[in-house]
């Protein structure tokens, strides 16, 4: 019986092999717009690099081959350099990108896609915002979150109170509209006015709306210093209540009193993941943060906006209460004064840029006591505030966080105007710093895993379906760099310096950085969340 069944099978196989009409046809040669040969391909998965060539046509990766590709309009000889997916920066602040559409500081460190709308601040008209790409083309791809703080401000202003049921429904409707228009999720800035005035349940309601449309909850948590554990737990609780993935922004510990406790905060994320909640974090590769000068003051003191804050400071007893609270916060964090607080940009007096509050206080007031420093902060707040750099983190904690499999690399930067102010260097060097310092020099990460943290993990987390991997059929966003030379040059003292080692950056199949030259190409596309059109 066995022989009767086997013989017809053998006959069928033989006829397939000899029959000319069943022979496997040859692949018809294709003309490519661009080909990259002799590349060490790091495909974004975390797998080891392999040597090969890539053919690009119509903005897509059309072929990945072991052999050289010659039938292309332009051929780049990579010479053994690394070819990786274009980096995806999931924590950017680029609402103003249309005034500087080349986004050169991002492109020159290999970033081809940005997610903006973070920390509770975004457009509230997603369709209009992303639609601007048609009339004002960009050099990078752009996605946006819908931000709780902006939604709350539009409905309730900057008031310190709970929303009425009708106001909550209006906020829910705004988030739903944004998700239908293509927002990738909901962001919060629970350390900032007005987001800080929201109770957890208010945020849960909005997160439930974003969840229905496949979005993510990205949070600048309520506290990154002394109460960081409680703040992380709040973010996780929101995710569990709303049944939505959680992304914790610029994960850090910014209190000297808690330095060395990153294993505890990491453990909270690990525990949530073991329970089945998708939690990820992002991080920049520096031990200094950057935000406004206003953040040094109690949130209740600046509720209602700057004019209301100035009225409170005009009352001597309230001014003293604010100062006392600031002193207690410093003491609890184990910082003796504001020497850690450096001015990035202060419009009333650009001479302050690059100096810390202690230095500025001595310059202006001739003394450096803590009381004098607080008075200097009050004066600068009253004059419009300042953008600051805060050197408040520990290197060991930062490295511990970077090692984690769920950590993405993101800059927390805006589009930089070259030479303007003394901003945080992360806006020029973040990705290059990871590749140069933490991969090549310190060997904290492998090259392949570092690239995974910049490409496929961000794409997976934010549901950017055809980005983040080098795969046939995927968008042709790529970066070509020399791993032996890539390095950040930007420093806190001199941040306006582009990194080295990047040879080419390609966005949607078009070269935007060719050697050291920006080509002027503007091939960026809007990137929409999964709820668009629902």
């Amino acid at each position: 019986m066995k022989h009767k069944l086997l013989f017809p099978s053998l006959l069928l196989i033989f006829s397939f092999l000899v029959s000319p009409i069943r022979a496997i046809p040859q692949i018809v040669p294709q003309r490519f717009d661009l080909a990259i040969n002799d590349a060490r391909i790091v495909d974004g998965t975390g797998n080891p690099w392999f040597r090969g060539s890539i053919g690009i046509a119509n903005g897509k990766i059309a072929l990945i081959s072991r052999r050289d590709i010659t039938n292309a309009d332009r051929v780049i000889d990579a010479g053994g350099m690394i070819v990786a997916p274009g980096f995806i920066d999931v924590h950017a602040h680029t609402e103003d990108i249309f005034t500087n559409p080349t986004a050169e500081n991002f492109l020159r460190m290999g970033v081809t896609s940005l997610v903006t709308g973070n920390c509770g601040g975004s457009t509230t008209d997603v369709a209009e915002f992303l639609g601007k790409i048609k009339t004002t083309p960009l050099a990078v791809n752009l996605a946006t979150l819908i931000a709780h703080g902006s939604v709350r401000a539009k409905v309730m202003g900057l008031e310190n109170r709970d929303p009425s049921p009708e106001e909550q429904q209006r906020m829910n409707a705004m988030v739903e509209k944004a998700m239908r228009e293509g927002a990738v999720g909901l962001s919060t800035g629970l350390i900032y006015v007005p987001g800080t005035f929201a109770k957890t349940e208010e945020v849960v309601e909005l997160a439930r709306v974003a969840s229905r449309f496949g979005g993510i909850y990205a949070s600048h948590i309520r506290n990154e210093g002394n109460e960081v554990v409680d703040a992380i737990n709040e973010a996780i609780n929101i995710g569990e209540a709303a049944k939505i993935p959680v992304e914790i922004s610029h994960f850090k510990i910014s209190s000297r009193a808690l330095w060395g406790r990153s294993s505890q905060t990491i453990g909270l994320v690990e525990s949530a993941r073991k329970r089945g909640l998708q939690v990820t974090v992002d991080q920049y590769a520096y031990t200094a943060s950057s935000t406004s000068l206003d953040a040094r003051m109690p949130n209740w003191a600046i509720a209602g906006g700057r004019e209301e804050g100035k009225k409170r400071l005009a009352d001597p007893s309230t001014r003293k209460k604010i100062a006392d609270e600031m002193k207690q916060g410093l003491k609890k964090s184990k910082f003796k004064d504001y020497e850690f607080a450096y001015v990035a940009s202060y419009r009333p007096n650009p001479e302050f840029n690059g100096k810390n509050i202690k230095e500025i206080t001595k310059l202006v007031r001739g003394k450096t006591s803590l009381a004098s420093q607080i008075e200097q902060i009050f004066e600068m707040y009253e004059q419009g505030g300042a953008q600051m750099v805060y050197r408040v983190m520990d290197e060991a904690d930062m490295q511990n966080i970077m090692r984690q499999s769920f950590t993405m690399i993101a800059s927390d930067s805006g589009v930089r105007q070259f030479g303007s102010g003394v901003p945080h260097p992360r806006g020029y060097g973040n990705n290059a710093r990871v590749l140069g310092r933490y991969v090549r020099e310190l060997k904290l990460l492998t090259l392949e895993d570092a690239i995974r943290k910049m490409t496929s993990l961000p794409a997976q987390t934010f549901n950017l379906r055809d980005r983040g991997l080098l795969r046939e059929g995927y968008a042709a966003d790529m970066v070509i760099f020399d791993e032996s030379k890539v390095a950040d040059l930007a420093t806190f003292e001199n941040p306006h310096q582009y990194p080295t080692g990047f040879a080419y950056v390609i966005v949607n199949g078009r070269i935007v950085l060719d050697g050291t030259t920006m080509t002027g190409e503007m091939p960026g596309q809007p990137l929409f969340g999964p709820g668009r059109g629902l």
Side-chain angles (χ1 to χ4, degrees), residues 131-158:
K132 288 181 183 178
I133 295 178
K134 293 180 181 178
T135 55
T136 307
L138 304 177
V140 295
N141 305 308
L142 184 65
T144 188
L145 296 146
I146 179 66
H148 163 250
S150 296
V151 168
R152 195 181 210 268
K154 194 158 189 176
V155 172
M156 301 174 58
L158 304 180

Side-chain angles (χ1 to χ4, degrees), residues 147-204:
H148 163 250
S150 296
V151 168
R152 195 181 210 268
K154 194 158 189 176
V155 172
M156 301 174 58
L158 304 180
E159 296 183 31
N160 182 3
R161 62 176 177 83
D162 295 338
S164 68
E166 187 271 336
E167 287 169 333
Q168 182 74 58
Q169 287 305 310
R170 285 174 60 194
M171 290 193 288
N172 291 354
M174 287 179 66
V175 171
E176 178 172 335
K177 176 176 178 288
M179 295 303 296
R180 290 183 187 276
E181 291 174 347
V184 294
L186 171 74
S187 85
T188 54
L190 299 180
I191 200 170
Y192 299 119
V193 172
T196 189
F197 303 139
K199 293 185 173 66
T200 302
E201 186 51 41
E202 176 185 325
V203 180
V204 168

Side-chain angles (χ1 to χ4, degrees), residues 220-279:
H220 181 144
I221 55 179
R222 205 174 291 273
N223 189 289
E224 296 172 328
N226 297 316
E227 285 80 45
V228 65
V229 169
D230 290 340
I232 293 169
N233 279 325
E234 181 187 31
I236 290 169
N237 292 339
I238 288 168
E240 290 178 326
K243 296 181 173 56
I244 190 170
V246 174
E247 155 65 10
I248 301 178
S249 301
H250 36 60
F251 201 71
K252 65 170 80 75
I253 295 175
S254 59
S255 168
R256 185 190 292 270
L258 297 184
W259 284 1
R261 301 276 290 276
S262 55
S263 292
Q264 180 182 1
T265 59
I266 289 165
L268 298 174
V269 176
E270 292 174 330
S271 178
R273 291 186 65 87
K274 286 177 182 177
R275 296 196 303 271
L277 180 66
Q278 180 184 319
V279 185

